[in-house]
Amino acid sequence: REQVSPAELADRTARLMALELDREGVELRCQLDDDLPTIHGDPAQLEVVLLNLVRNAMQALEPAPAARWIRLRVFATAEGVCFEVADPGRPIPDEARERLFDSFFTTRRGGTGTGLFLSRRIAERHGGRIRVEPNTGGGTCFLVSLPRSDRRSSTDAVSAKAILVVDSDHTTRQIKLWMLEEFGLTVD
């Protein structure tokens, strides 16, 4: 993990999505606060979260060709930084919101139900959280909150340590290793 500039993360996401957005006729409206604090994390993993949210927003626009824009707003909070991805497309039904971040749950035909699940896991492993709200005026708004680099989570301290797993029972050892991976630790 390293110091990550939220502005650079948003800019890289916009550049990576540019061809796809252009092909679909979607405008990405980036709004960045001045003087954003840095965050501590894995830039590739955080990029996956933003790419997934922008791609999902783009797919929500398909039946509504009149409004073809997505807002990617990055702003400072008291605790850190918030990335907001909003679209004027189909709103997520209330009954689906509770399960939206469950693995293999999808509201989209042909969807795998893994993108939001993984996005939530990545946000939580970075000491943050992700939530969904109705977008003012229609559509959906996803908010990813991450702590400033000087407010790192306890998972950062744990990930820098080595843990020796010893167990004579192969199955028990594998379960323990799997649990460590679930907590975001790299297992060799």
Side-chain angles (χ1 to χ4, degrees), residues 2 14 20 23 28-29 34 37 53 71 76 81 109 122 124 129 137 154-155 158 166 173 176:
E2 59 191 67
E20 201 171 334
R23 184 177 63 239
L28 182 62
R29 300 175 180 173
D34 294 328
L53 293 177
R71 181 178 62 241
V81 174
R109 183 190 312 241
I122 291 169
E124 289 174 350
R129 58 180 275 214
S154 60
T155 57
V158 172
V166 178
R173 184 173 59 250
K176 289 175 183 176

mmCIF file with all atom_site columns, all heavy atoms in Angstrom, residues 2 14 20 23 28-29 34 37 53 71 76 81 109 122 124 129 137 154-155 158 166 173 176:
data_model
loop_
_atom_site.group_PDB
_atom_site.id
_atom_site.type_symbol
_atom_site.label_atom_id
_atom_site.label_alt_id
_atom_site.label_comp_id
_atom_site.label_asym_id
_atom_site.label_entity_id
_atom_site.label_seq_id
_atom_site.pdbx_PDB_ins_code
_atom_site.Cartn_x
_atom_site.Cartn_y
_atom_site.Cartn_z
_atom_site.occupancy
_atom_site.B_iso_or_equiv
_atom_site.pdbx_formal_charge
_atom_site.auth_seq_id
_atom_site.auth_comp_id
_atom_site.auth_asym_id
_atom_site.auth_atom_id
_atom_site.pdbx_PDB_model_num
ATOM 1   N N   . GLU A 1 2   ? 0.299   2.323   -0.496  1.00 0.00 ? 2   GLU A N   1
ATOM 2   C CA  . GLU A 1 2   ? 1.069   3.555   -0.648  1.00 0.00 ? 2   GLU A CA  1
ATOM 3   C C   . GLU A 1 2   ? 0.153   4.767   -0.531  1.00 0.00 ? 2   GLU A C   1
ATOM 4   O O   . GLU A 1 2   ? -1.069  4.622   -0.461  1.00 0.00 ? 2   GLU A O   1
ATOM 5   C CB  . GLU A 1 2   ? 1.769   3.543   -2.006  1.00 0.00 ? 2   GLU A CB  1
ATOM 6   C CG  . GLU A 1 2   ? 0.798   3.418   -3.169  1.00 0.00 ? 2   GLU A CG  1
ATOM 7   C CD  . GLU A 1 2   ? 1.473   3.148   -4.495  1.00 0.00 ? 2   GLU A CD  1
ATOM 8   O OE1 . GLU A 1 2   ? 2.050   2.053   -4.648  1.00 0.00 ? 2   GLU A OE1 1
ATOM 9   O OE2 . GLU A 1 2   ? 1.397   4.034   -5.375  1.00 0.00 ? 2   GLU A OE2 1
ATOM 10  N N   . ALA A 1 14  ? -11.049 8.082   -15.349 1.00 0.00 ? 14  ALA A N   1
ATOM 11  C CA  . ALA A 1 14  ? -11.642 8.758   -16.512 1.00 0.00 ? 14  ALA A CA  1
ATOM 12  C C   . ALA A 1 14  ? -10.897 8.395   -17.792 1.00 0.00 ? 14  ALA A C   1
ATOM 13  O O   . ALA A 1 14  ? -11.520 8.133   -18.825 1.00 0.00 ? 14  ALA A O   1
ATOM 14  C CB  . ALA A 1 14  ? -11.628 10.269  -16.288 1.00 0.00 ? 14  ALA A CB  1
ATOM 15  N N   . GLU A 1 20  ? -14.634 3.558   -23.854 1.00 0.00 ? 20  GLU A N   1
ATOM 16  C CA  . GLU A 1 20  ? -15.919 2.900   -23.629 1.00 0.00 ? 20  GLU A CA  1
ATOM 17  C C   . GLU A 1 20  ? -17.045 3.922   -23.497 1.00 0.00 ? 20  GLU A C   1
ATOM 18  O O   . GLU A 1 20  ? -18.123 3.760   -24.067 1.00 0.00 ? 20  GLU A O   1
ATOM 19  C CB  . GLU A 1 20  ? -15.812 2.036   -22.367 1.00 0.00 ? 20  GLU A CB  1
ATOM 20  C CG  . GLU A 1 20  ? -16.823 0.947   -22.268 1.00 0.00 ? 20  GLU A CG  1
ATOM 21  C CD  . GLU A 1 20  ? -16.526 -0.006  -21.118 1.00 0.00 ? 20  GLU A CD  1
ATOM 22  O OE1 . GLU A 1 20  ? -15.365 -0.147  -20.698 1.00 0.00 ? 20  GLU A OE1 1
ATOM 23  O OE2 . GLU A 1 20  ? -17.495 -0.611  -20.639 1.00 0.00 ? 20  GLU A OE2 1
ATOM 24  N N   . ARG A 1 23  ? -17.701 5.506   -26.937 1.00 0.00 ? 23  ARG A N   1
ATOM 25  C CA  . ARG A 1 23  ? -18.412 4.553   -27.798 1.00 0.00 ? 23  ARG A CA  1
ATOM 26  C C   . ARG A 1 23  ? -19.903 4.503   -27.447 1.00 0.00 ? 23  ARG A C   1
ATOM 27  O O   . ARG A 1 23  ? -20.756 4.362   -28.306 1.00 0.00 ? 23  ARG A O   1
ATOM 28  C CB  . ARG A 1 23  ? -17.784 3.164   -27.668 1.00 0.00 ? 23  ARG A CB  1
ATOM 29  C CG  . ARG A 1 23  ? -18.403 2.132   -28.600 1.00 0.00 ? 23  ARG A CG  1
ATOM 30  C CD  . ARG A 1 23  ? -17.744 0.767   -28.519 1.00 0.00 ? 23  ARG A CD  1
ATOM 31  N NE  . ARG A 1 23  ? -17.894 0.199   -27.197 1.00 0.00 ? 23  ARG A NE  1
ATOM 32  C CZ  . ARG A 1 23  ? -16.877 -0.160  -26.405 1.00 0.00 ? 23  ARG A CZ  1
ATOM 33  N NH1 . ARG A 1 23  ? -15.642 -0.033  -26.817 1.00 0.00 ? 23  ARG A NH1 1
ATOM 34  N NH2 . ARG A 1 23  ? -17.100 -0.658  -25.211 1.00 0.00 ? 23  ARG A NH2 1
ATOM 35  N N   . LEU A 1 28  ? -18.659 11.766  -19.016 1.00 0.00 ? 28  LEU A N   1
ATOM 36  C CA  . LEU A 1 28  ? -18.248 11.625  -17.620 1.00 0.00 ? 28  LEU A CA  1
ATOM 37  C C   . LEU A 1 28  ? -17.930 13.016  -17.096 1.00 0.00 ? 28  LEU A C   1
ATOM 38  O O   . LEU A 1 28  ? -17.011 13.677  -17.567 1.00 0.00 ? 28  LEU A O   1
ATOM 39  C CB  . LEU A 1 28  ? -17.022 10.717  -17.491 1.00 0.00 ? 28  LEU A CB  1
ATOM 40  C CG  . LEU A 1 28  ? -16.542 10.452  -16.064 1.00 0.00 ? 28  LEU A CG  1
ATOM 41  C CD1 . LEU A 1 28  ? -17.620 9.732   -15.250 1.00 0.00 ? 28  LEU A CD1 1
ATOM 42  C CD2 . LEU A 1 28  ? -15.258 9.626   -16.078 1.00 0.00 ? 28  LEU A CD2 1
ATOM 43  N N   . ARG A 1 29  ? -18.711 13.466  -16.126 1.00 0.00 ? 29  ARG A N   1
ATOM 44  C CA  . ARG A 1 29  ? -18.548 14.796  -15.540 1.00 0.00 ? 29  ARG A CA  1
ATOM 45  C C   . ARG A 1 29  ? -17.759 14.660  -14.241 1.00 0.00 ? 29  ARG A C   1
ATOM 46  O O   . ARG A 1 29  ? -18.302 14.217  -13.223 1.00 0.00 ? 29  ARG A O   1
ATOM 47  C CB  . ARG A 1 29  ? -19.898 15.428  -15.258 1.00 0.00 ? 29  ARG A CB  1
ATOM 48  C CG  . ARG A 1 29  ? -20.753 15.590  -16.496 1.00 0.00 ? 29  ARG A CG  1
ATOM 49  C CD  . ARG A 1 29  ? -22.132 16.106  -16.153 1.00 0.00 ? 29  ARG A CD  1
ATOM 50  N NE  . ARG A 1 29  ? -22.940 16.259  -17.352 1.00 0.00 ? 29  ARG A NE  1
ATOM 51  C CZ  . ARG A 1 29  ? -24.234 16.569  -17.331 1.00 0.00 ? 29  ARG A CZ  1
ATOM 52  N NH1 . ARG A 1 29  ? -24.858 16.755  -16.174 1.00 0.00 ? 29  ARG A NH1 1
ATOM 53  N NH2 . ARG A 1 29  ? -24.886 16.686  -18.468 1.00 0.00 ? 29  ARG A NH2 1
ATOM 54  N N   . ASP A 1 34  ? -10.742 21.044  -4.355  1.00 0.00 ? 34  ASP A N   1
ATOM 55  C CA  . ASP A 1 34  ? -9.344  21.454  -4.209  1.00 0.00 ? 34  ASP A CA  1
ATOM 56  C C   . ASP A 1 34  ? -8.807  20.900  -2.892  1.00 0.00 ? 34  ASP A C   1
ATOM 57  O O   . ASP A 1 34  ? -9.569  20.644  -1.957  1.00 0.00 ? 34  ASP A O   1
ATOM 58  C CB  . ASP A 1 34  ? -9.225  22.977  -4.200  1.00 0.00 ? 34  ASP A CB  1
ATOM 59  C CG  . ASP A 1 34  ? -9.606  23.581  -5.542  1.00 0.00 ? 34  ASP A CG  1
ATOM 60  O OD1 . ASP A 1 34  ? -9.375  22.927  -6.577  1.00 0.00 ? 34  ASP A OD1 1
ATOM 61  O OD2 . ASP A 1 34  ? -10.148 24.714  -5.547  1.00 0.00 ? 34  ASP A OD2 1
ATOM 62  N N   . PRO A 1 37  ? -7.165  15.474  0.680   1.00 0.00 ? 37  PRO A N   1
ATOM 63  C CA  . PRO A 1 37  ? -6.123  14.766  1.419   1.00 0.00 ? 37  PRO A CA  1
ATOM 64  C C   . PRO A 1 37  ? -5.769  13.458  0.702   1.00 0.00 ? 37  PRO A C   1
ATOM 65  O O   . PRO A 1 37  ? -6.579  12.913  -0.052  1.00 0.00 ? 37  PRO A O   1
ATOM 66  C CB  . PRO A 1 37  ? -6.782  14.470  2.771   1.00 0.00 ? 37  PRO A CB  1
ATOM 67  C CG  . PRO A 1 37  ? -8.244  14.440  2.490   1.00 0.00 ? 37  PRO A CG  1
ATOM 68  C CD  . PRO A 1 37  ? -8.467  15.416  1.363   1.00 0.00 ? 37  PRO A CD  1
ATOM 69  N N   . LEU A 1 53  ? -17.909 1.013   -10.606 1.00 0.00 ? 53  LEU A N   1
ATOM 70  C CA  . LEU A 1 53  ? -19.047 1.900   -10.371 1.00 0.00 ? 53  LEU A CA  1
ATOM 71  C C   . LEU A 1 53  ? -19.388 2.717   -11.617 1.00 0.00 ? 53  LEU A C   1
ATOM 72  O O   . LEU A 1 53  ? -20.570 2.893   -11.944 1.00 0.00 ? 53  LEU A O   1
ATOM 73  C CB  . LEU A 1 53  ? -18.767 2.826   -9.189  1.00 0.00 ? 53  LEU A CB  1
ATOM 74  C CG  . LEU A 1 53  ? -18.661 2.134   -7.825  1.00 0.00 ? 53  LEU A CG  1
ATOM 75  C CD1 . LEU A 1 53  ? -18.319 3.138   -6.741  1.00 0.00 ? 53  LEU A CD1 1
ATOM 76  C CD2 . LEU A 1 53  ? -19.931 1.374   -7.486  1.00 0.00 ? 53  LEU A CD2 1
ATOM 77  N N   . ARG A 1 71  ? -21.760 11.363  -13.209 1.00 0.00 ? 71  ARG A N   1
ATOM 78  C CA  . ARG A 1 71  ? -20.983 12.305  -12.404 1.00 0.00 ? 71  ARG A CA  1
ATOM 79  C C   . ARG A 1 71  ? -20.017 11.528  -11.514 1.00 0.00 ? 71  ARG A C   1
ATOM 80  O O   . ARG A 1 71  ? -20.426 10.641  -10.772 1.00 0.00 ? 71  ARG A O   1
ATOM 81  C CB  . ARG A 1 71  ? -21.892 13.181  -11.545 1.00 0.00 ? 71  ARG A CB  1
ATOM 82  C CG  . ARG A 1 71  ? -21.118 14.202  -10.716 1.00 0.00 ? 71  ARG A CG  1
ATOM 83  C CD  . ARG A 1 71  ? -22.022 15.112  -9.893  1.00 0.00 ? 71  ARG A CD  1
ATOM 84  N NE  . ARG A 1 71  ? -22.792 14.355  -8.923  1.00 0.00 ? 71  ARG A NE  1
ATOM 85  C CZ  . ARG A 1 71  ? -24.128 14.292  -8.897  1.00 0.00 ? 71  ARG A CZ  1
ATOM 86  N NH1 . ARG A 1 71  ? -24.852 14.932  -9.785  1.00 0.00 ? 71  ARG A NH1 1
ATOM 87  N NH2 . ARG A 1 71  ? -24.756 13.573  -7.979  1.00 0.00 ? 71  ARG A NH2 1
ATOM 88  N N   . ALA A 1 76  ? -13.633 16.191  -0.036  1.00 0.00 ? 76  ALA A N   1
ATOM 89  C CA  . ALA A 1 76  ? -13.061 15.913  1.280   1.00 0.00 ? 76  ALA A CA  1
ATOM 90  C C   . ALA A 1 76  ? -14.179 15.838  2.315   1.00 0.00 ? 76  ALA A C   1
ATOM 91  O O   . ALA A 1 76  ? -15.190 16.533  2.212   1.00 0.00 ? 76  ALA A O   1
ATOM 92  C CB  . ALA A 1 76  ? -12.060 17.007  1.653   1.00 0.00 ? 76  ALA A CB  1
ATOM 93  N N   . VAL A 1 81  ? -11.882 11.117  2.372   1.00 0.00 ? 81  VAL A N   1
ATOM 94  C CA  . VAL A 1 81  ? -12.305 11.456  1.018   1.00 0.00 ? 81  VAL A CA  1
ATOM 95  C C   . VAL A 1 81  ? -13.518 10.613  0.655   1.00 0.00 ? 81  VAL A C   1
ATOM 96  O O   . VAL A 1 81  ? -13.634 9.456   1.055   1.00 0.00 ? 81  VAL A O   1
ATOM 97  C CB  . VAL A 1 81  ? -11.158 11.162  0.016   1.00 0.00 ? 81  VAL A CB  1
ATOM 98  C CG1 . VAL A 1 81  ? -11.610 11.369  -1.416  1.00 0.00 ? 81  VAL A CG1 1
ATOM 99  C CG2 . VAL A 1 81  ? -9.955  12.029  0.316   1.00 0.00 ? 81  VAL A CG2 1
ATOM 100 N N   . ARG A 1 109 ? -29.726 -8.232  -16.250 1.00 0.00 ? 109 ARG A N   1
ATOM 101 C CA  . ARG A 1 109 ? -29.680 -9.453  -17.056 1.00 0.00 ? 109 ARG A CA  1
ATOM 102 C C   . ARG A 1 109 ? -28.246 -9.641  -17.562 1.00 0.00 ? 109 ARG A C   1
ATOM 103 O O   . ARG A 1 109 ? -27.635 -8.719  -18.087 1.00 0.00 ? 109 ARG A O   1
ATOM 104 C CB  . ARG A 1 109 ? -30.627 -9.361  -18.238 1.00 0.00 ? 109 ARG A CB  1
ATOM 105 C CG  . ARG A 1 109 ? -30.666 -10.642 -19.060 1.00 0.00 ? 109 ARG A CG  1
ATOM 106 C CD  . ARG A 1 109 ? -31.405 -10.466 -20.356 1.00 0.00 ? 109 ARG A CD  1
ATOM 107 N NE  . ARG A 1 109 ? -32.675 -9.805  -20.158 1.00 0.00 ? 109 ARG A NE  1
ATOM 108 C CZ  . ARG A 1 109 ? -33.851 -10.343 -20.443 1.00 0.00 ? 109 ARG A CZ  1
ATOM 109 N NH1 . ARG A 1 109 ? -33.900 -11.549 -20.937 1.00 0.00 ? 109 ARG A NH1 1
ATOM 110 N NH2 . ARG A 1 109 ? -34.956 -9.681  -20.248 1.00 0.00 ? 109 ARG A NH2 1
ATOM 111 N N   . ILE A 1 122 ? -13.162 -4.361  -1.105  1.00 0.00 ? 122 ILE A N   1
ATOM 112 C CA  . ILE A 1 122 ? -11.977 -3.521  -1.280  1.00 0.00 ? 122 ILE A CA  1
ATOM 113 C C   . ILE A 1 122 ? -12.092 -2.261  -0.424  1.00 0.00 ? 122 ILE A C   1
ATOM 114 O O   . ILE A 1 122 ? -11.140 -1.886  0.266   1.00 0.00 ? 122 ILE A O   1
ATOM 115 C CB  . ILE A 1 122 ? -11.770 -3.167  -2.769  1.00 0.00 ? 122 ILE A CB  1
ATOM 116 C CG1 . ILE A 1 122 ? -11.370 -4.419  -3.552  1.00 0.00 ? 122 ILE A CG1 1
ATOM 117 C CG2 . ILE A 1 122 ? -10.728 -2.066  -2.932  1.00 0.00 ? 122 ILE A CG2 1
ATOM 118 C CD1 . ILE A 1 122 ? -11.407 -4.247  -5.068  1.00 0.00 ? 122 ILE A CD1 1
ATOM 119 N N   . GLU A 1 124 ? -13.814 -1.802  2.311   1.00 0.00 ? 124 GLU A N   1
ATOM 120 C CA  . GLU A 1 124 ? -13.677 -2.172  3.728   1.00 0.00 ? 124 GLU A CA  1
ATOM 121 C C   . GLU A 1 124 ? -12.238 -2.519  4.079   1.00 0.00 ? 124 GLU A C   1
ATOM 122 O O   . GLU A 1 124 ? -11.769 -2.180  5.165   1.00 0.00 ? 124 GLU A O   1
ATOM 123 C CB  . GLU A 1 124 ? -14.615 -3.337  4.055   1.00 0.00 ? 124 GLU A CB  1
ATOM 124 C CG  . GLU A 1 124 ? -16.066 -2.923  4.067   1.00 0.00 ? 124 GLU A CG  1
ATOM 125 C CD  . GLU A 1 124 ? -17.031 -4.087  4.235   1.00 0.00 ? 124 GLU A CD  1
ATOM 126 O OE1 . GLU A 1 124 ? -16.593 -5.270  4.155   1.00 0.00 ? 124 GLU A OE1 1
ATOM 127 O OE2 . GLU A 1 124 ? -18.235 -3.815  4.412   1.00 0.00 ? 124 GLU A OE2 1
ATOM 128 N N   . ARG A 1 129 ? -15.941 2.510   3.441   1.00 0.00 ? 129 ARG A N   1
ATOM 129 C CA  . ARG A 1 129 ? -17.239 1.873   3.232   1.00 0.00 ? 129 ARG A CA  1
ATOM 130 C C   . ARG A 1 129 ? -17.843 2.373   1.934   1.00 0.00 ? 129 ARG A C   1
ATOM 131 O O   . ARG A 1 129 ? -17.448 3.407   1.400   1.00 0.00 ? 129 ARG A O   1
ATOM 132 C CB  . ARG A 1 129 ? -18.170 2.117   4.403   1.00 0.00 ? 129 ARG A CB  1
ATOM 133 C CG  . ARG A 1 129 ? -18.436 3.584   4.704   1.00 0.00 ? 129 ARG A CG  1
ATOM 134 C CD  . ARG A 1 129 ? -19.359 3.749   5.856   1.00 0.00 ? 129 ARG A CD  1
ATOM 135 N NE  . ARG A 1 129 ? -20.719 3.671   5.342   1.00 0.00 ? 129 ARG A NE  1
ATOM 136 C CZ  . ARG A 1 129 ? -21.730 4.347   5.831   1.00 0.00 ? 129 ARG A CZ  1
ATOM 137 N NH1 . ARG A 1 129 ? -21.584 5.116   6.855   1.00 0.00 ? 129 ARG A NH1 1
ATOM 138 N NH2 . ARG A 1 129 ? -22.924 4.252   5.300   1.00 0.00 ? 129 ARG A NH2 1
ATOM 139 N N   . GLY A 1 137 ? -33.276 13.683  -8.341  1.00 0.00 ? 137 GLY A N   1
ATOM 140 C CA  . GLY A 1 137 ? -33.759 13.836  -9.707  1.00 0.00 ? 137 GLY A CA  1
ATOM 141 C C   . GLY A 1 137 ? -33.846 12.525  -10.470 1.00 0.00 ? 137 GLY A C   1
ATOM 142 O O   . GLY A 1 137 ? -34.099 12.522  -11.666 1.00 0.00 ? 137 GLY A O   1
ATOM 143 N N   . SER A 1 154 ? -7.012  -0.223  11.263  1.00 0.00 ? 154 SER A N   1
ATOM 144 C CA  . SER A 1 154 ? -6.233  -1.253  11.942  1.00 0.00 ? 154 SER A CA  1
ATOM 145 C C   . SER A 1 154 ? -5.824  -2.375  10.995  1.00 0.00 ? 154 SER A C   1
ATOM 146 O O   . SER A 1 154 ? -4.863  -3.068  11.244  1.00 0.00 ? 154 SER A O   1
ATOM 147 C CB  . SER A 1 154 ? -7.033  -1.834  13.109  1.00 0.00 ? 154 SER A CB  1
ATOM 148 O OG  . SER A 1 154 ? -8.236  -2.398  12.631  1.00 0.00 ? 154 SER A OG  1
ATOM 149 N N   . THR A 1 155 ? -6.550  -2.545  9.871   1.00 0.00 ? 155 THR A N   1
ATOM 150 C CA  . THR A 1 155 ? -6.169  -3.600  8.927   1.00 0.00 ? 155 THR A CA  1
ATOM 151 C C   . THR A 1 155 ? -4.829  -3.291  8.277   1.00 0.00 ? 155 THR A C   1
ATOM 152 O O   . THR A 1 155 ? -4.110  -4.185  7.897   1.00 0.00 ? 155 THR A O   1
ATOM 153 C CB  . THR A 1 155 ? -7.233  -3.799  7.829   1.00 0.00 ? 155 THR A CB  1
ATOM 154 O OG1 . THR A 1 155 ? -7.436  -2.559  7.151   1.00 0.00 ? 155 THR A OG1 1
ATOM 155 C CG2 . THR A 1 155 ? -8.530  -4.313  8.399   1.00 0.00 ? 155 THR A CG2 1
ATOM 156 N N   . VAL A 1 158 ? -2.164  -4.639  10.591  1.00 0.00 ? 158 VAL A N   1
ATOM 157 C CA  . VAL A 1 158 ? -2.102  -6.099  10.562  1.00 0.00 ? 158 VAL A CA  1
ATOM 158 C C   . VAL A 1 158 ? -1.427  -6.586  9.293   1.00 0.00 ? 158 VAL A C   1
ATOM 159 O O   . VAL A 1 158 ? -0.644  -7.519  9.322   1.00 0.00 ? 158 VAL A O   1
ATOM 160 C CB  . VAL A 1 158 ? -3.527  -6.699  10.679  1.00 0.00 ? 158 VAL A CB  1
ATOM 161 C CG1 . VAL A 1 158 ? -3.500  -8.187  10.464  1.00 0.00 ? 158 VAL A CG1 1
ATOM 162 C CG2 . VAL A 1 158 ? -4.110  -6.372  12.040  1.00 0.00 ? 158 VAL A CG2 1
ATOM 163 N N   . VAL A 1 166 ? 0.478   -22.881 11.929  1.00 0.00 ? 166 VAL A N   1
ATOM 164 C CA  . VAL A 1 166 ? 0.947   -24.251 12.115  1.00 0.00 ? 166 VAL A CA  1
ATOM 165 C C   . VAL A 1 166 ? -0.233  -25.074 12.610  1.00 0.00 ? 166 VAL A C   1
ATOM 166 O O   . VAL A 1 166 ? -0.857  -24.732 13.615  1.00 0.00 ? 166 VAL A O   1
ATOM 167 C CB  . VAL A 1 166 ? 2.102   -24.314 13.145  1.00 0.00 ? 166 VAL A CB  1
ATOM 168 C CG1 . VAL A 1 166 ? 2.543   -25.748 13.345  1.00 0.00 ? 166 VAL A CG1 1
ATOM 169 C CG2 . VAL A 1 166 ? 3.255   -23.428 12.720  1.00 0.00 ? 166 VAL A CG2 1
ATOM 170 N N   . ARG A 1 173 ? -5.768  -26.239 8.680   1.00 0.00 ? 173 ARG A N   1
ATOM 171 C CA  . ARG A 1 173 ? -4.764  -25.257 8.249   1.00 0.00 ? 173 ARG A CA  1
ATOM 172 C C   . ARG A 1 173 ? -5.288  -24.473 7.044   1.00 0.00 ? 173 ARG A C   1
ATOM 173 O O   . ARG A 1 173 ? -5.167  -23.250 6.986   1.00 0.00 ? 173 ARG A O   1
ATOM 174 C CB  . ARG A 1 173 ? -3.451  -25.954 7.909   1.00 0.00 ? 173 ARG A CB  1
ATOM 175 C CG  . ARG A 1 173 ? -2.331  -24.978 7.553   1.00 0.00 ? 173 ARG A CG  1
ATOM 176 C CD  . ARG A 1 173 ? -0.976  -25.649 7.368   1.00 0.00 ? 173 ARG A CD  1
ATOM 177 N NE  . ARG A 1 173 ? -0.986  -26.676 6.321   1.00 0.00 ? 173 ARG A NE  1
ATOM 178 C CZ  . ARG A 1 173 ? -0.882  -27.985 6.529   1.00 0.00 ? 173 ARG A CZ  1
ATOM 179 N NH1 . ARG A 1 173 ? -0.722  -28.466 7.747   1.00 0.00 ? 173 ARG A NH1 1
ATOM 180 N NH2 . ARG A 1 173 ? -0.910  -28.842 5.535   1.00 0.00 ? 173 ARG A NH2 1
ATOM 181 N N   . LYS A 1 176 ? -7.851  -21.917 8.127   1.00 0.00 ? 176 LYS A N   1
ATOM 182 C CA  . LYS A 1 176 ? -7.210  -20.768 8.774   1.00 0.00 ? 176 LYS A CA  1
ATOM 183 C C   . LYS A 1 176 ? -6.571  -19.846 7.731   1.00 0.00 ? 176 LYS A C   1
ATOM 184 O O   . LYS A 1 176 ? -6.676  -18.624 7.827   1.00 0.00 ? 176 LYS A O   1
ATOM 185 C CB  . LYS A 1 176 ? -6.162  -21.237 9.779   1.00 0.00 ? 176 LYS A CB  1
ATOM 186 C CG  . LYS A 1 176 ? -6.756  -21.879 11.012  1.00 0.00 ? 176 LYS A CG  1
ATOM 187 C CD  . LYS A 1 176 ? -5.679  -22.428 11.926  1.00 0.00 ? 176 LYS A CD  1
ATOM 188 C CE  . LYS A 1 176 ? -6.276  -23.132 13.132  1.00 0.00 ? 176 LYS A CE  1
ATOM 189 N NZ  . LYS A 1 176 ? -5.256  -23.752 13.973  1.00 0.00 ? 176 LYS A NZ  1
#
